[in-house]
Amino acid sequence: MSLDPRRVLVTGAGGRIGRAVLALLADRGIGATALIRSESDHDAVSSLGADRVRAGDAGDPATVDAAITDADAVIHLAARPSPNEGTHVEVFSENTRATYVVLDAAARHGIRRASIASSYAVGGLPFATKPLAVPYVPLDAAAVLQPTDPYALAKRTDELTADMFARRDGMSVVAIRLPFVGSGDDKLAAQADRLAEDPAAGASDLWSYLDTRDAARAMFAGLHAALPGAHVVYVAAPDVLSPLDTDALLDAHHPGVPRRHRFPGRQVPIDLAPAERLLGFRAEHTWSWER
């Protein structure tokens, strides 16, 4: 899995992470087919290096079959990004359908490498409809999931879908559990200010975050898994998006949560080692509080 693909189908290419993926592929000289939801994104994704652009629904088999032609890898990002982006039925059904359609098309076209966007929210806490507790820290992929919302449930279903295609068709599929993602000059800056003012607002996310550029790198790294099969990994910046030390944050906001070890300084309380072992991924961009 060490060789780069020749062409990658990128679904959800018009979104924040999708555009960063297109820029990364262009930098590496890799052909990109951008699947966008709206034709209004056409010029923007073309300017980022996508030499083929298709507009349509990632949940439509005919659209995906047309877009996937000549690709030898898939980065799947298309989804409604929260349980509030439509009705609960729309969020669950559209997100899970798109993942199935994209991986099914990949399998039928003989593609054996795919990276799909899962989410830290799969654990259930960020959009919980009832009080939930983090099982333990550092959080890892073995922790019990507690979905009470359609978005978390859809992401869990996506991971199981990836597992099926890996087992049935011999694909390598990596589900990347992404945390809060943003760029330092806009969305991430606003979140940093919010959590500095109110640390409790980041408790359900364990104050985790990832720069958009690193999110793109993680999705691309998912195409180069060291082992075959289906895998789930958490990725995040190595530090918390808070000026406070991690142990102080945990003492204040997760006092009853089992702590397998202490966390020096502002170390994020998530196990990032599996992503480094499997994908060679480590975040390169961290938030600076000296602005």
Side-chain angles (χ1 to χ4, degrees):
M1 293 290 178
S2 60
L3 296 178
D4 281 349
R6 297 182 304 277
R7 171 169 298 279
V8 180
L9 169 64
V10 183
T11 73
R16 181 186 300 266
I17 301 174
R19 296 185 187 201
V21 167
L22 294 178
L24 184 153
L25 294 175
D27 285 346
R28 298 183 71 99
I30 298 170
T33 300
L35 180 57
I36 54 177
R37 189 67 182 258
S38 171
E39 191 65 44
S40 63
D41 291 324
H42 188 287
D43 291 345
V45 298
S46 295
S47 70
L48 291 168
D51 56 320
R52 299 181 189 175
V53 181
R54 292 270 185 175
D57 184 356
D60 175 55
T63 296
V64 176
D65 273 339
I68 208 167
T69 301
D70 296 333
D72 55 349
V74 172
I75 293 178
H76 175 51
L77 294 160
R80 295 189 181 225
S82 86
N84 305 314
E85 300 290 327
T87 69
H88 285 187
V89 170
E90 288 170 339
V91 170
F92 178 78
S93 61
E94 291 186 19
N95 286 5
T96 54
R97 177 185 174 90
T99 299
Y100 189 95
V101 167
V102 169
L103 292 182
D104 182 61
R108 288 187 288 100
H109 285 261
I111 295 171
R112 292 295 174 262
R113 289 190 281 180
S115 177
I116 69 171
S118 186
S119 171
Y120 171 92
V122 71
L125 270 74
F127 302 113
T129 61
K130 59 187 293 186
L132 299 173
V134 180
Y136 53 78
V137 289
L139 189 65
D140 59 26
V144 173
L145 303 179
Q146 309 171 76
T148 61
D149 69 271
Y151 181 76
L153 182 60
K155 289 302 182 184
R156 179 57 180 140
T157 304
D158 287 348
E159 293 178 0
L160 291 172
T161 300
D163 184 67
M164 187 206 78
F165 280 103
R167 182 180 301 108
R168 192 189 76 180
D169 297 294
M171 295 178 65
S172 172
V173 189
V174 180
I176 309 288
R177 289 184 178 175
L178 295 163
F180 181 95
V181 174
S183 299
D185 59 351
D186 49 29
K187 186 178 179 184
L188 194 57
Q191 179 74 344
D193 290 342
R194 174 175 176 245
L195 300 191
E197 181 177 343
D198 180 17
S204 64
D205 293 316
L206 291 176
W207 306 275
S208 59
Y209 74 100
L210 193 64
D211 186 279
T212 306
R213 293 164 292 180
D214 282 324
R217 289 179 53 246
M219 296 304 301
F220 182 69
L223 302 179
H224 299 80
L227 298 171
H231 306 277
V232 175
V233 295
Y234 281 98
V235 296
D239 58 343
V240 293
L241 192 62
S242 170
L244 304 177
D245 284 350
T246 302
D247 280 323
L249 290 167
L250 293 171
D251 288 343
H253 303 286
H254 294 293
V257 171
R259 208 174 306 183
R260 293 179 169 177
H261 57 72
R262 307 295 288 183
F263 297 90
R266 296 171 44 245
Q267 180 183 347
V268 71
I270 298 174
D271 186 1
L272 305 179
E276 186 165 359
R277 289 194 301 267
L278 180 71
L279 309 177
F281 174 80
R282 181 186 297 179
E284 295 179 350
H285 305 279
T286 57
W287 179 253
S288 172
W289 292 95
E290 298 178 1
R291 292 186 289 158

